[in-house]
Structure formats: C-alpha cells, structure tokens
Amino acid sequence: MSQSLVDDIDDPAEAALGLARPVETGPEPPSVPGRRAGIRRFLLRRPGLLLSGAVLVLVVLASFWPDLFTSQDPLKGVPSENFRAPSGSHWFGTDELGRDVFSRVVHGAQLSLKATIIAVLVAFVVGGLLGVVAGFVGRWVDDVLMRFVDVLLSIPALFLSLALVTALGYGTVKVAVAVGIASVASFARVARAEVLRVRQAVFVEASRASGARWYSVLGRHVLPNAAGPVIVLATLDFGASILAVSALSFLGYGAPPPAPEWGTLISDGRNYLANAWWLTALPGLAIAATVLATNRIARALDGEWSRQR
C-alpha cells in the first residue's frame, strides 16, 4: 500500500479491511472530444462567424487557384459584348472592353491578397521586433524606440503610405511595403505593452532567479505569452491593409493596367457609373465582404472564444 494512501486513512481497522477512502484529485482536463464539441457549439451559435470564415476561404482559394471559379481570361475582351449587365453568362457583367468583370475580380484577388499579406508581414515583423526590444530591454532603448514610434503615430497612415510609395515607386510590392511600414507603430506599441506585462509575471521572475539566460527567458516565456494580442492585431490589420492597398491602387500607385487589382477596377469603373454601375459596385462589394469577414474573425479571436472557455 502506498504511503499517500496510508496517510489518508483515519481508522487502522479500515486499513486492515481494505476500506481506505480514495484520495481526492482535482478535476480532469477536458478530453479531445469534449474540446471538439465545445468548438462546434461555439461556431453553430455564431452563423455570422461561419459566413465570415466561408468568405475568407473563398477569397484565399480565388487568390491561389482562380481557375476553380472561372475559366475566362481576365485580360481578353469581346468588344461586341461591352457593358453587358450581370447575367448568367457574366455574373458581374462586362466592362467597356467586353472583359468579364467576375473573372477580373477573381484574378485581382491574387494581386490584392499578395500585397495585403506582404503589408501585414512587414508590420508584424518590424513592429513586433521594435516592441519586443523596447519592452524587454527597457531603459534608454525603450525611450528612443518609443519616441520613433510616436513620430510614426503622429502621421496619418494614408499620408505616410503615399509619401513612402512616392519615394519607392509604383507597383504592387512597393505599395505593400509602404502600407506595412505605415502600420508598424501600432504593432510596436501592442507588442511592447504585452512584453512589459509578461516580463513582470511571477514565472518570469522565477526563471530569472533560477539562473536562466536572457534569451531563454525571452524565447520560452515572454514571446509565447505575449504573442496572442499581436496575432489578433495582425488579423484586424489584414482588413485595414486591404482597404489601404485598394486605396493606393485606386489612386494609380498599384500595378499598371490592365492588371485587375481591386482598387484599379473601382477606379476604372467610376467613369461609367451612370450606365454601368456594376463596374464599381461589385468589386467594391468584394472588398467590403473581405474586410468585414476578417474583422469578424478577429473579434472572435480577441474575446469571444476566451469568454466561451
């Protein structure tokens, strides 16, 4: 008989008869089927979240495999079919050159999403690195980096993007880099705040007191526990970056025509609003649906799932 079981026995007679009480243990962790059931309940109670996930999946599929949705050439037009309204043969209608607008929106998702991913990665890596260094090192390093971040925050993001893309030149990648740099400040402040919060935790102090190296504390304790809000911010910034990239493309800073970027499609269609509203409205709806879907998913990641658990 183990010592822990003997210690839990009050009466020696019970021990002789083998009537010892079982040792009480804490609640068992939820099993994998239980977690899966919780996820299913969470999703089924939120149809808007399911719809947002479906929209985002469709946009990603259109970005990497546009042939799944359309077989028409987005650059080839049929002049005799120009300005056709949306119909079964042309879901989003045709433009002034007879090109199918739906195929241009689908193929334009590749350019717009590529630029958005680059912008978010630039903001996440550069801003996160600045915030981690400022929060973990502290002292004068924190002061210098945060004053630089304050300067970036004092400039409106769109104006800063315009200035940067004018200096870098036109093109999808350059627009993406400009949008990413304009978003660095928000990532840096969130990352710094989370690192400061985690750095003062008891388990971090215990790790330092036990003689762990600074890089071990940073990699094993600080970064994993500070990454959550920064990832949520990246999801939110994804929608904002789509709007910023589309705005710069609308102004003519994106890929040159006839590249079907979403912002370029809206810019080309604004001259025909009187007789061909679909040239602007339907690409605009695609942008709005993508932005709303990413924001809904970010809201679920930020608070709803943690409150559900």
Side-chain angles (χ1 to χ4, degrees):
M1 185 177 296
S2 63
Q3 183 63 35
S4 61
L5 187 60
V6 173
D7 293 339
D8 195 59
I9 299 172
D10 295 332
D11 190 356
E14 293 182 358
L17 296 174
L19 300 177
R21 296 192 302 271
V23 179
E24 295 183 358
T25 58
E28 295 182 358
S31 60
V32 174
R35 286 197 298 269
R36 291 176 179 173
I39 294 174
R40 284 196 298 268
R41 287 195 301 269
F42 177 79
L43 294 176
L44 291 176
R45 293 174 181 174
R46 292 164 176 82
L49 182 58
L50 288 175
L51 180 61
S52 300
V55 169
L56 201 57
V57 168
L58 291 176
V59 172
V60 172
L61 290 176
S63 302
F64 290 96
W65 300 282
D67 293 336
L68 292 175
F69 299 91
T70 179
S71 59
Q72 300 192 43
D73 189 349
L75 305 180
K76 182 180 179 181
V78 181
S80 60
E81 296 185 357
N82 62 336
F83 294 123
R84 294 291 178 89
S87 62
S89 57
H90 300 286
W91 291 0
F92 284 9
T94 60
D95 61 5
E96 70 277 9
L97 299 178
R99 296 173 295 191
D100 184 69
V101 178
F102 178 74
S103 66
R104 289 178 63 78
V105 171
V106 170
H107 285 82
Q110 184 177 15
L111 294 172
S112 298
L113 194 67
K114 171 187 171 183
T116 302
I117 291 174
I118 294 174
V120 173
L121 284 177
V122 169
F124 182 85
V125 173
V126 178
L129 183 61
L130 290 176
V132 168
V133 172
F136 193 76
V137 177
R139 298 188 296 275
W140 63 270
V141 177
D142 185 16
D143 294 335
V144 172
L145 292 178
M146 284 301 103
R147 298 299 76 75
F148 172 71
V149 169
D150 290 340
V151 171
L152 292 179
L153 285 174
S154 66
I155 306 174
L158 184 59
F159 291 164
L160 182 58
S161 299
L162 284 171
L164 290 172
V165 78
T166 303
L168 295 174
Y170 297 0
T172 302
V173 176
K174 294 175 181 178
V175 165
V177 172
V179 172
I181 294 176
S183 304
V184 161
S186 57
F187 279 85
R189 291 186 67 91
V190 172
R192 174 181 176 270
E194 289 301 310
V195 169
L196 287 175
R197 178 185 63 82
V198 176
R199 194 182 67 174
Q200 300 173 358
V202 176
F203 60 90
V204 174
E205 296 294 336
S207 179
R208 285 177 172 175
S210 63
R213 302 280 187 176
W214 66 268
Y215 52 82
S216 177
V217 175
L218 179 64
R220 296 182 60 184
H221 301 293
V222 176
L223 290 181
N225 290 281
V230 184
I231 294 174
V232 173
L233 178 62
T235 310
L236 280 171
D237 191 68
F238 192 87
S241 297
I242 291 176
L243 289 177
V245 168
S246 300
L248 293 178
S249 299
F250 178 86
L251 296 175
Y253 292 99
E261 279 190 328
W262 284 351
T264 305
L265 294 178
I266 297 176
S267 178
D268 293 341
R270 61 180 173 168
N271 299 321
Y272 307 100
L273 283 174
N275 62 325
W277 55 268
W278 56 87
L279 297 181
T280 299
L282 297 182
L285 285 176
I287 296 174
T290 306
V291 173
L292 291 174
T294 55
N295 289 345
R296 181 65 184 88
I297 293 173
R299 192 178 71 182
L301 292 175
D302 187 20
E304 290 185 29
W305 175 243
S306 59
R307 289 195 298 268
Q308 176 74 14
R309 290 187 300 174

